Amino acid sequence: MRYEITVEPNYLKANLFDRETAEETREFLVAVAAETRKHKRAQILISVHTSRAIFRVEQYGILDYFKELGGLSKYRIALTADSEELRISQDYVESLARQHGLNVRSFHSEQAALNWLRDRRWPPDRRQRQERFEGQDQRRRQRRLNSGAPGIS
């Protein structure tokens, strides 16, 4: 396994090559976390190349690493991969991360990931906020209908 981490103007870029084991994954994630704190970057692009796909996320500690960065909504983490199998595993990581309120997204290309990282319209959980507001509007509408309906107090 080898990796390279570079500091870009608005994000940290971490490339991982030939990763095989859970221990190598943890070593890489620890290095990325250290550089993220050192350079005070809230946006991270992780690109994985010629590595084994990860489907046992808990064993690899990936979600723990993302949570460890702190401030769940403070960080945006974009994932890319160079094979279909890796992309599928990253989609799975994204799904689990979103269930835990983490702002992690998987992309098919580095350019798409960079576009998302550069998007200034975020707060990170914009989509979730919109869904919450829609639910509140529905409840208000339902209360109005119930309070105006005959025979309902």
Side-chain angles (χ1 to χ4, degrees), residues 98-117:
R98 290 182 70 173
Q99 289 174 16
H100 288 87
L102 303 170
N103 203 11
V104 176
R105 299 291 181 270
S106 173
F107 295 92
H108 285 275
S109 72
E110 188 172 305
Q111 188 58 53
L114 290 172
N115 290 342
W116 179 69
L117 290 174

Side-chain angles (χ1 to χ4, degrees), residues 47-109:
S47 295
V48 182
H49 310 275
T50 59
S51 296
R52 291 184 55 199
I54 296 172
F55 291 104
R56 287 183 273 153
V57 175
E58 296 79 16
Q59 176 186 350
Y60 286 79
I62 292 172
L63 292 180
D64 294 335
Y65 152 76
F66 291 154
K67 288 177 186 177
E68 183 182 305
L69 284 173
L72 296 181
S73 64
K74 179 181 176 184
Y75 291 92
R76 293 209 295 182
I77 302 169
L79 306 173
T80 66
D82 65 354
S83 74
E84 188 61 28
E85 185 178 26
L86 282 169
R87 278 191 287 278
I88 290 168
S89 74
Q90 288 182 344
D91 288 345
Y92 176 61
V93 169
E94 174 188 340
S95 174
L96 292 176
R98 290 182 70 173
Q99 289 174 16
H100 288 87
L102 303 170
N103 203 11
V104 176
R105 299 291 181 270
S106 173
F107 295 92
H108 285 275
S109 72

Side-chain angles (χ1 to χ4, degrees), residues 117-133:
L117 290 174
R118 290 181 186 133
D119 185 0
R120 296 285 182 219
R121 294 177 299 157
W122 75 303
D125 300 327
R126 189 175 57 135
R127 185 180 324 160
Q128 290 173 343
R129 270 198 341 215
Q130 181 63 31
E131 291 167 356
R132 187 177 71 233
F133 290 138

